[in-house]
């Protein structure tokens, strides 16, 4: 999961100060820079991003058989994950700018965004699928109570 990969790099005057993952942001971390160490408290609510990804994955597998009801849950999880990612990014930018630091996205965060997009695309594809229609041979018609097998069964 992209949650455990590097999400952002924080830099000061072009020098990288810290590279943090989603787990670091959720659980808290210590950053050492310019001879001092700062403890940054975690935001446990960020674990909801991981949870929405797991829920969406489970319901993506279920939607193969369950169809639209599972796809609806998948859409809800994908939207929730996307909103949480957006709020996280906005919050990180505002906090880092207070201290005149720069922030750049890393592949873990971008992978999380692409995963949310993939979840939503897959769910909408599932929503648009129509159930397969059963076909039968014209030699008999089950609608009229015919129970004989068709010639194709021989």
């Amino acid at each position: 999961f992209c949650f455990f990969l590097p999400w952002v790099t924080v830099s000061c005057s072009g020098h990288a100060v810290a590279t943090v993952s989603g787990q670091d942001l959720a659980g808290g971390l210590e950053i050492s820079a310019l001879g001092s160490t700062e403890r940054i408290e975690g935001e446990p609510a960020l674990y909801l991003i991981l949870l929405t990804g797991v829920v969406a994955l489970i319901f993506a597998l279920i939607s193969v058989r369950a169809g639209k009801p599972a796809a609806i849950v998948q859409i809800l999880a994908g939207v929730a994950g996307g909103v949480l990612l957006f709020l996280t990014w906005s919050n990180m930018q505002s906090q880092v700018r207070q201290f005149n630091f720069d922030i750049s996205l890393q592949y873990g965060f971008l992978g999380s965004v692409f995963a949310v997009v993939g979840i939503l695309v897959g769910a909408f594809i599932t929503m648009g699928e129509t159930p397969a229609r059963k076909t039968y041979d014209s030699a008999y018609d089950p609608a009229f109570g015919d129970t004989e097998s068709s010639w194709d069964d021989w």
Side-chain angles (χ1 to χ4, degrees), residues 18-107:
T19 299
V20 295
S21 68
Q23 182 175 0
D24 294 334
L25 293 171
L29 69 147
E30 291 183 1
I31 296 179
S32 298
L34 304 172
S36 67
T37 301
E38 290 289 325
R39 172 78 182 151
I40 298 175
E41 294 300 318
E43 184 63 46
L46 293 179
Y47 285 116
L48 291 174
I49 294 172
L50 180 62
L51 180 65
T52 59
V54 170
V55 167
L57 178 64
I58 290 169
F59 278 90
L61 296 172
I62 292 173
S63 70
V64 171
R65 289 193 177 249
K68 291 182 182 181
I72 291 171
V73 174
Q74 188 180 351
I75 289 170
L76 294 174
V79 169
V83 168
L84 288 170
L85 283 170
F86 175 76
L87 293 174
T88 300
W89 174 245
S90 298
N91 188 32
M92 284 188 298
Q93 281 186 322
S94 66
Q95 287 182 357
V96 167
R97 286 186 179 150
Q98 289 177 356
F99 302 104
N100 292 325
F101 286 104
D102 296 319
I103 188 169
S104 60
L105 292 176
Q106 295 297 312
Y107 53 91

Side-chain angles (χ1 to χ4, degrees), residues 102-140:
D102 296 319
I103 188 169
S104 60
L105 292 176
Q106 295 297 312
Y107 53 91
F109 191 89
L110 295 173
S112 296
V113 170
F114 288 129
V116 166
V117 170
I119 287 167
L120 292 173
V121 168
F124 283 114
I125 289 172
T126 300
M127 291 293 290
E129 290 179 355
T130 56
R133 295 183 182 167
K134 293 184 179 181
T135 60
Y136 56 90
D137 188 20
S138 61
Y140 74 103

